[in-house]
Amino acid sequence: MYERPISRRRALATITVAAGMASSPARSQTYPAKPIRVIVPYAPGGALDTVARLFSQRMSTRLGASFVVENKPGANTIIGNEMVVRAPADGYTILFAAAPLALNSALGIKEPYDVLKDLAPVMLIASAPVIIVSNPSAPYRTLADIISASKATPNGLSFATAGVGSMPHLLGEALRLKTGANLTHIGYKGSSPALQDVIGGAVPLMFDAYTPAGVQVVAGKLRGLAVASARRLPSLPDIPTTVEQGFPDIVGEAFQAMLVPAGTPPAIIGKLHEAALAVSAEPEVREQLTRQGYNMIASTPERLTTYVQQEIDRWTPIVKAAGVKL
């Protein structure tokens, strides 16, 4: 990852947290004393919803309180995120967030909050690297094959993704900008229709997450060409990473994170982090998430803040250079 100096905002936030610690012990001793709301800014059944429900169930057991999951999709996760930002900072409202937490800022989307100021980090749970796949009948075997073929073909190559502004889309634009590959993006409304066209041969390439594209690789309906990460996916151990293939800048990973409203007492954040860390270490949880194409992280709260800032800084110039418009 890319380490950055602590910004003035982060330094002030650290001072504020430290100052609040003196008043938090009494409150945290009785926490949790009532049900905890878990906001998922997506519809039920998706990747983030699955992770949120898995952690909520097991954290509920560890903390002795009910966790009630509420799905609040819409506006590229802004609706759900804002609900948490506006909630009382008492530890009874938790946000499970994904890549748009950082990508919305990179894409220039105006949000009614500041993700680095109005939300407090609990944990960066896991990441899901983008995988690059092709139709099995296509001649491509490596990332270099794609780049060479795109430059040799008058109209280049097109690649499908689940939508404009998604992590897979931005990764494809990064590949185009950094290598000179002649690639044209085709954004679909979700992975399913994109997969159908790639499997059917209408589009030669797709950039997506393990679920669902990687599942089709395992099934033999797609060929895996690269995992856009520094480490291979245990669920696709035979597919080399982009870094292994000589492209260290072509990395892109969606992520799953847990946050609370800014101002939540540090002792309560500590309790939530301790419970989430214990859940992350459970063999069944690790096995399930690994099987679904995740790399486990289980970070400190501070690491999550750094990670979100790095993602904003990394993708903002790509968005501008590629002229990505939602």
Side-chain angles (χ1 to χ4, degrees), residues 150-183:
S150 73
K151 293 178 179 179
T153 306
N155 293 326
L157 297 177
S158 54
F159 69 98
T161 74
V164 175
S166 63
M167 178 65 75
H169 174 206
L170 298 189
L171 183 80
E173 297 294 351
L175 179 63
R176 180 178 66 83
L177 292 168
K178 293 178 182 294
T179 67
N182 187 6
L183 297 172

Side-chain angles (χ1 to χ4, degrees), residues 190-269:
S191 293
S192 294
L195 274 173
Q196 291 174 11
D197 278 0
V198 178
I199 292 173
V203 183
L205 302 169
M206 183 174 180
F207 290 51
D208 200 41
Y210 178 85
T211 303
V215 176
Q216 300 304 322
V217 172
V218 175
K221 295 182 179 180
L222 291 173
R223 175 185 295 135
L225 305 177
V227 174
S229 176
R231 53 177 169 160
R232 294 194 183 196
L233 272 177
S235 50
L236 295 171
D238 296 329
I239 301 179
T241 69
T242 50
V243 176
E244 287 179 271
Q245 295 185 51
F247 301 91
D249 293 334
I250 308 303
V251 294
E253 302 184 62
F255 62 87
Q256 316 281 18
M258 189 186 310
L259 305 98
V260 291
T264 299
I268 289 178
I269 292 176

Side-chain angles (χ1 to χ4, degrees), residues 3-4 8 18 25 49 62 88 95 97-98 124 134 137 187 190 192 230 233 240 247 256 258 271 285 294 297 308 321:
E3 297 297 340
R4 290 167 48 85
R8 181 173 180 271
D49 182 64
R62 291 182 175 277
L95 172 67
L124 178 60
S134 72
S137 64
S192 294
L233 272 177
F247 301 91
Q256 316 281 18
M258 189 186 310
K271 279 193 173 184
V285 171
Y294 291 100
I297 299 175
V308 171

